[in-house]
Amino acid sequence: MCGIFVTQGEMSEKQMNEVLELLYHRGPDEGKSVVTDRVHLGHRRLSIIGLEDGIQPIHNEDKKRWIVCNGEIYNYAAIKDSLAKDVSFLTKSDSEVALKLVEKQGPEAIHQLDGMFAFFIADEDNGSFVVARDTLGIKPLYYGKDRDGQYVFSSELKAIESFVDEAKEFPHGHYFTPEHGFVCYRKIQSPQKSYTEHEMTEVFTSIKETMNEAVRKRRMADVEVGVLLSGGLDSSLIAAIADQQKEGDKPLKSFCVGAEGSADIINARTVAKALGTEHYEYIYTEEELIEAVSDVIYHLESYEPSLVRSAIPNYFVSKLASEHVKVILSGEGADELFAGYAYMEKYQDTASMNKEIIRVLNTLHHVNLQRADRMSMAHSIELRVPFLDLDVVENALQIPAGLKVHKKDRMEKWLLRKAFDGIIPDEVLWRKKAEFSEGSGALDLLELHAERTITDETFEKVQAEAPVDLRSKQEMFYYQIFRDHFPEEKMLHTVGKWATA
């Protein structure tokens, strides 16, 4: 996990160093920049794979192609083997595999990559470049043009805002070349085949097999991997699967945060005890919660209330985990795939259910996934999301709506619970869903603070003057902090919005 910055325009060494300092939290292990004939490449590295020789930018043999990459390529070993006959590798880095794949087979081959990534490849021979982002946008990437019309790319907005007139989010599932523009190399679609409601055994087996493989892939690292454990269904299942897969006697490390007496803390203890994890927890106070809001919004680069609320406990748990591990697994994505949200009950047929699931998956890049990436990276830790493995997604879309929707005799995510029955304690497996911010005790504290500190008159005044719609006092509280960090109005255009505030 890293931070990248690339510009075609003029840039001094001092400017590049300042930019890389803004991205330091994304990669405190190493930092480097390279000036080629046509581009300036900057990189901050959090070393996870190829610890000794994976410093970036990485070049090919004749130094005519260079890559800076943020993320992980989970199938890099298989691709490396397929290229090994006529390609030599200079490092053990998974990022170099992406470079050599594109060098050998062109950008059309990017669809072969299985992982979470955003990368830039400079092609000095042809005076060109290739930029790509993973299918769901798990890893962030922004771009724009400077005043001379030259392209600039970066992992975070804060590093790009002073260089471009307008910052845009790079579309997920696309690559870009100057010759062909944006090309969609993969998008999530409804599958051609699906299970029937009578194939219960096959459905349960497929869920378990795809999830086990997804976790196995994401345990790939040259450093220790831990799990976020909120005590809810999704994180508990990931923890249980990871615990089953661990090798040796060393226990899996699990992490939870919350307010004193909160549901997350209590339920996580139950799961940790049942699994035998080496469990760490942190109890935060209301004062700490409020104090953290400014730093959270700076790293999150958003003032969206639902996002900020859930980001704050995520911020604390990432901070806690970073003291013990470099990689953590999270339960993001289960609600989207297995109809865990109450409103999804209205989608009774598979076609409409899948259409809604795909729509929601395509919004995650600037809501849940933005929160997950930014809060973990704020503390220099890599977060991985097994539920959003492409095989898990494809399999989930093959399951008919009738087996997913909440019914009188089936609670939400019944299918997922039933598939893993016995793997975690029943009081957790069959407990009704709670939002992370709700279970951690963050939601009420933040709402009360906004109501106590913002008068109706102040709210109406700021609401009337703001160039965006402010839907609540809580949103206004976050918005004002956001504008303190990012005063330029152009930064508002990248903020993703949820339906409610």
Side-chain angles (χ1 to χ4, degrees):
M1 199 65 65
C2 308
I4 65 175
F5 181 90
V6 180
T7 179
Q8 289 184 296
E10 293 296 322
M11 189 178 207
S12 67
E13 184 179 352
K14 179 176 181 292
Q15 284 177 307
M16 178 61 84
N17 289 338
E18 289 171 349
V19 165
L20 292 183
E21 186 63 28
L22 287 173
L23 296 174
Y24 181 87
H25 53 280
R26 298 192 69 90
D29 293 334
E30 296 173 319
K32 185 179 177 183
S33 62
V34 168
V35 181
T36 72
D37 291 341
R38 295 176 177 84
V39 293
H40 293 229
L41 304 160
H43 190 267
R44 288 294 330 181
R45 184 184 184 217
L46 181 67
S47 51
I48 304 294
I49 294 174
L51 303 184
E52 302 302 323
D53 62 358
I55 189 169
Q56 298 187 39
I58 294 172
H59 57 78
N60 67 351
E61 292 88 340
D62 61 7
K63 297 187 178 182
K64 292 297 184 181
R65 288 185 174 86
W66 296 76
I67 187 171
V68 283
C69 180
N70 168 30
E72 302 292 347
I73 311 297
Y74 298 125
N75 65 338
Y76 83 99
I79 293 177
K80 190 172 186 176
D81 287 344
S82 72
L83 297 173
K85 288 182 180 179
D86 51 0
V87 174
S88 59
F89 290 86
L90 305 178
T91 76
K92 295 178 181 178
S93 170
D94 58 315
S95 298
E96 188 187 7
V97 172
L99 170 66
K100 291 304 180 80
L101 178 68
V102 173
E103 180 181 25
K104 191 70 178 174
Q105 301 180 15
E108 299 83 5
I110 289 171
H111 76 276
Q112 296 179 36
L113 300 175
D114 178 11
M116 52 179 191
F117 55 81
F119 63 73
F120 180 103
I121 295 176
D123 181 351
E124 296 291 283
D125 270 340
N126 301 305
S128 186
F129 60 84
V130 180
V131 192
R133 190 180 183 195
D134 67 72
T135 305
L136 290 172
I138 300 171
K139 290 294 97 194
L141 187 62
Y142 298 93
Y143 75 101
K145 288 185 175 182
D146 64 19
R147 61 176 57 90
D148 297 319
Q150 300 296 312
Y151 281 103
V152 186
F153 299 89
S154 181
S155 296
E156 295 188 8
L157 286 163
K158 60 181 65 69
I160 200 176
E161 64 168 327
S162 62
F163 294 94
V164 300
D165 293 329
E166 181 183 6
K168 299 178 181 179
E169 187 181 13
F170 193 95
H172 56 288
H174 285 69
Y175 68 78
F176 176 89
T177 64
E179 297 80 15
H180 298 102
F182 287 101
V183 176
C184 179
Y185 67 86
R186 187 194 290 115
K187 60 182 177 181
I188 305 299
Q189 297 177 303
S190 288
Q192 296 298 312
K193 63 173 185 174
S194 62
Y195 301 101
T196 70
E197 292 194 28
H198 303 292
E199 295 179 293
M200 297 299 291
T201 301
E202 291 84 349
V203 168
F204 291 142
T205 299
S206 70
I207 292 173
K208 287 187 283 190
E209 287 180 349
T210 54
M211 281 305 303
N212 274 297
E213 177 60 14
V215 172
R216 186 197 63 77
K217 287 182 196 175
R218 284 155 186 80
R219 292 181 62 251
M220 175 193 77
D222 294 332
V223 294
E224 189 171 5
V225 178
V227 293
L228 299 188
L229 184 58
S230 70
L233 173 69
D234 309 334
S235 66
S236 297
L237 289 180
I238 297 298
I241 296 169
D243 185 65
Q244 288 181 341
Q245 293 182 1
K246 70 178 175 60
E247 300 169 358
D249 298 329
K250 193 175 181 180
L252 178 72
K253 290 184 171 71
S254 59
F255 307 93
C256 182
V257 299
E260 186 67 57
S262 61
D264 282 4
I265 289 290
I266 295 168
N267 288 302
R269 287 173 185 168
T270 301
V271 177
K273 184 177 180 180
L275 297 179
T277 66
E278 185 178 318
H279 190 58
Y280 297 86
E281 62 182 41
Y282 183 77
I283 309 295
Y284 51 66
T285 64
E286 180 178 357
E287 291 74 22
E288 287 177 300
L289 200 72
I290 302 304
E291 187 179 331
V293 170
S294 179
D295 201 34
V296 166
I297 289 173
Y298 171 76
H299 284 287
L300 187 63
E301 299 182 329
S302 175
Y303 61 86
E304 158 56 39
S306 297
L307 201 57
V308 175
R309 281 198 300 267
S310 59
I312 292 175
N314 215 273
Y315 173 89
F316 279 108
V317 79
S318 295
K319 182 179 181 181
L320 173 65
S322 70
E323 297 168 3
H324 304 276
V325 297
K326 262 192 165 181
V327 179
I328 45 177
L329 307 183
S330 166
E332 294 284 350
D335 286 318
E336 288 75 14
L337 293 177
F338 294 96
Y341 298 118
Y343 83 92
M344 285 184 165
E345 293 175 28
K346 65 184 179 182
Y347 299 105
Q348 294 290 319
D349 67 280
T350 303
S352 62
M353 172 72 81
N354 278 355
K355 184 177 180 181
E356 176 60 12
I357 289 172
I358 292 168
R359 184 196 69 80
V360 174
L361 289 175
N362 281 319
T363 66
L364 289 181
H365 58 96
H366 65 185
V367 283
N368 296 34
L369 290 175
Q370 181 169 327
R371 174 199 67 208
D373 172 82
R374 299 304 210 287
M375 294 304 97
S376 56
M377 283 281 88
H379 299 290
S380 309
I381 190 168
E382 176 168 300
L383 184 143
R384 298 175 177 179
V385 283
F387 275 109
L388 294 177
D389 181 271
L390 295 180
D391 289 336
V392 174
V393 171
E394 182 179 7
N395 183 67
L397 290 171
Q398 293 178 31
I399 300 171
L403 296 180
K404 287 183 180 177
V405 290
H406 180 192
K407 298 179 180 179
K408 288 183 179 179
D409 61 337
R410 294 180 184 176
M411 65 192 306
E412 85 281 346
K413 290 186 287 191
W414 170 85
L415 197 64
L416 190 58
R417 299 172 196 269
K418 196 70 176 173
F420 289 100
D421 198 3
I423 197 172
I424 55 176
D426 281 354
E427 61 263 41
V428 175
L429 187 68
W430 298 103
R431 181 169 59 89
K432 190 172 177 60
K433 168 184 168 56
E435 287 185 12
F436 186 28
S437 56
E438 180 183 345
S440 64
L443 194 153
D444 292 340
L445 292 175
L446 294 164
E447 194 169 330
L448 284 171
H449 177 79
E451 289 295 332
R452 282 199 307 258
T453 57
I454 300 172
T455 65
D456 292 344
E457 293 76 18
T458 300
F459 177 58
E460 290 170 7
K461 182 176 185 296
V462 174
Q463 191 180 39
E465 295 173 352
V468 294
D469 179 32
L470 298 176
R471 300 162 290 175
S472 66
K473 288 183 179 179
Q474 192 176 165
E475 185 167 30
M476 181 195 131
F477 172 51
Y478 302 145
Y479 167 79
Q480 289 184 310
I481 295 171
F482 179 88
R483 293 306 297 270
D484 286 342
H485 287 306
F486 309 109
E488 295 193 45
E489 194 168 310
K490 63 185 177 184
M491 293 289 282
L492 296 171
H493 305 318
T494 60
V495 175
K497 291 283 191 152
W498 284 1
T500 59

